[in-house]
Amino acid sequence: MNNRVLFLIVFVIITQTSYSQFGLRAKYNNQSYSKWDNSIFNSNSNTNQIFNTGYEVGLDYWFRLKKRRVEFMPEIAYSTSKTTLNGLHNIDHITLTGYHFNFHSQIYALDMEGDCDCPTFSKQGPSINKGLFFHFTPGVGYLTSNTNPTDNATLQSDEVKSVIFRAGIGIGLDIGINDLITITPIVSYYFHSGVPWENIPNAVATTVNATANPKNLQFTIRVGFRPDYTKGKIRRR
């Protein structure tokens, strides 16, 4: 099934559920794959990087503990990153694609006893206390690459096809716009398990094998929707 169609189906299912609380995430990734950099650019001290920036989108579903402000948001996400090599090793560009499942756990340490049945917008008290949280996020994903050669060139490189495990920590702030919508900026840092890449193009040894342990500084904007809350208000009128 086409990946875009799959994401569309999941989105429709969640948005059509009357009591769903869900969110859309747009992310900018600042990444490091140093072992792969050193192999492709033939140097242990090079300043060039592949996949140093990338983008990610995700869809999450919200639920929480009853008596403590600890919230959970399982998420499916799609990431992409592209590097242009301008003919180095007969490569025009390489694209790295990821499919991820993340389990976000948010802890509102300054308001653990607070009632979070209402959006931050509707709460009483200092907004930073009500909206500030720390998160811990374990996750799993599947990475694939696509190496595009220059015209008429032959490549010996294999593609990346690897399951990857990740763990992230970060901080965010809920900003309630109204009873339906909450905007949440989040800053996170992720560690990943090793990702092997066999037969990386390398001018010295033709091809080499290298395993990178990616690191990722991530900036996220989440738009949260609470149709269940607005429906509850309508019923009480």
Side-chain angles (χ1 to χ4, degrees):
M1 181 182 293
N2 184 281
N3 295 320
R4 293 181 181 178
V5 175
L6 178 60
F7 271 83
L8 179 61
I9 291 173
V10 174
F11 175 78
V12 171
I13 291 174
I14 291 181
T15 55
Q16 293 302 311
T17 303
S18 296
Y19 299 100
S20 293
Q21 301 178 32
F22 62 94
L24 302 176
R25 297 175 184 246
K27 314 173 190 181
Y28 174 80
N29 294 323
N30 188 334
Q31 306 165 136
S32 172
Y33 295 81
S34 58
K35 294 292 185 180
W36 292 354
D37 297 336
N38 295 339
S39 297
I40 288 180
F41 297 107
N42 308 314
S43 172
N44 290 323
S45 59
N46 77 86
T47 57
N48 297 306
Q49 292 182 303
I50 63 170
F51 311 130
N52 61 318
T53 60
Y55 302 93
E56 189 171 326
V57 293
L59 175 66
D60 67 49
Y61 181 85
W62 178 97
F63 63 97
R64 54 155 294 197
L65 296 181
K66 288 185 177 181
K67 297 183 179 181
R68 293 290 185 271
R69 288 208 65 195
V70 179
E71 302 181 357
F72 306 101
M73 299 182 190
E75 175 202 18
I76 56 172
Y78 170 83
S79 66
T80 183
S81 182
K82 179 179 177 180
T83 296
T84 300
L85 294 181
N86 296 318
L88 179 66
H89 307 312
N90 295 323
I91 297 172
D92 180 62
H93 65 271
I94 310 173
T95 303
L96 187 68
T97 299
Y99 305 89
H100 308 277
F101 173 77
N102 303 310
F103 195 86
H104 304 285
S105 301
Q106 298 183 176
I107 302 172
Y108 292 78
L110 301 181
D111 189 43
M112 287 293 290
E113 304 293 332
D115 172 20
C116 58
D117 285 339
C118 304
T120 303
F121 173 79
S122 304
K123 294 177 184 297
Q124 307 226 344
S127 60
I128 192 169
N129 289 356
K130 300 292 183 180
L132 184 71
F133 63 85
F134 302 93
H135 84 82
F136 172 70
T137 300
V140 62
Y142 182 69
L143 295 184
T144 63
S145 70
N146 183 25
T147 304
N148 294 84
T150 56
D151 294 339
N152 301 318
T154 300
L155 294 179
Q156 297 180 347
S157 174
D158 294 339
E159 305 294 350
V160 174
K161 294 181 180 180
S162 180
V163 174
I164 186 171
F165 298 94
R166 71 195 317 192
I169 55 175
I171 188 171
L173 179 66
D174 290 333
I175 304 172
I177 304 302
N178 52 41
D179 290 343
L180 174 63
I181 299 174
T182 299
I183 304 296
T184 306
I186 306 169
V187 179
S188 311
Y189 193 83
Y190 283 88
F191 302 89
H192 298 78
S193 61
V195 185
W197 188 354
E198 296 183 356
N199 298 321
I200 300 178
N202 180 285
V204 176
T206 306
T207 59
V208 297
N209 301 333
T211 297
N213 291 90
K215 296 178 176 59
N216 180 12
L217 178 63
Q218 185 177 88
F219 303 91
T220 301
I221 293 294
R222 179 183 185 268
V223 182
F225 299 91
R226 294 206 56 175
D228 67 314
Y229 183 75
T230 56
K231 286 180 179 293
K233 290 181 65 177
I234 292 174
R235 287 197 302 271
R236 289 194 293 269
R237 289 175 181 173

